């Protein structure tokens, strides 16, 4: 709950500040930032002044999926088999749980700076079956 005497700009800063957003319902990115392609909550990140950003994005999206499909075809992996359904389901639930709920019990014994590293490793492994290969490596 908010303190009763917060102004509209203080509420906006409290709700939108961490995501670098502003405006009604955090609908706009702050100046110099844009929505991150790999962010599940559409966090705004600093825009890079480079002309090859679109090529990096396309390479990060299409090369891994192409390699993944080729591996499935080459090794004749049956993605509809029971064990694969269970694995894909587990990976989807595991990554969602780590992204949105941050299990406190598992990571309570770790130092705060290593918690993010451990979560990033687990999410990277789980996201292979979500076809989100580089979500943790790009802003």
């Amino acid at each position: 709950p908010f303190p009763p005497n917060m102004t509209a700009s203080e509420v906006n800063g409290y709700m939108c500040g961490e995501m670098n957003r502003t405006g009604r319902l955090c609908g706009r990115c702050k100046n110099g930032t844009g929505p991150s392609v790999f962010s599940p909550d559409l966090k705004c990140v600093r825009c890079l002044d480079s002309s090859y950003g679109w090529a990096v994005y396309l390479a990060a999206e299409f090369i891994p999926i192409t390699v993944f499909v080729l591996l499935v075809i080459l090794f004749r992996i049956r993605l509809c088999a029971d064990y694969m359904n269970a694995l894909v389901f587990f990976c989807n639930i595991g990554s969602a749980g780590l992204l949105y709920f941050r299990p406190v019990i598992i990571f309570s014994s770790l130092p705060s700076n290593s918690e993010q590293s451990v979560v990033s490793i687990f999410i990277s492994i789980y996201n292979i079956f979500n076809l989100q290969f580089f979500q943790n490596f790009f802003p």
Side-chain angles (χ1 to χ4, degrees), residues 48-63:
L48 300 175
D49 295 327
S50 65
S51 60
Y52 60 86
W54 62 272
V56 171
Y57 170 73
L58 289 177
E61 287 295 317
F62 289 114
I63 291 174

Side-chain angles (χ1 to χ4, degrees), residues 4-71:
N5 55 355
M6 283 183 88
T7 65
S9 63
E10 289 172 338
V11 171
N12 190 26
Y14 177 75
M15 297 297 293
C16 307
E18 189 176 300
M19 297 188 312
N20 289 330
R21 291 187 161 273
T22 187
R24 197 172 283 151
L25 297 174
C26 306
R28 291 188 315 263
C29 290
K30 291 181 179 177
N31 289 340
T33 64
S36 174
V37 178
F38 296 107
S39 175
D41 56 358
L42 295 176
K43 182 183 286 189
C44 296
V45 295
R46 189 176 58 83
C47 296
L48 300 175
D49 295 327
S50 65
S51 60
Y52 60 86
W54 62 272
V56 171
Y57 170 73
L58 289 177
E61 287 295 317
F62 289 114
I63 291 174
I65 190 68
T66 305
V67 170
F68 184 76
V69 169
L70 289 175
L71 288 174

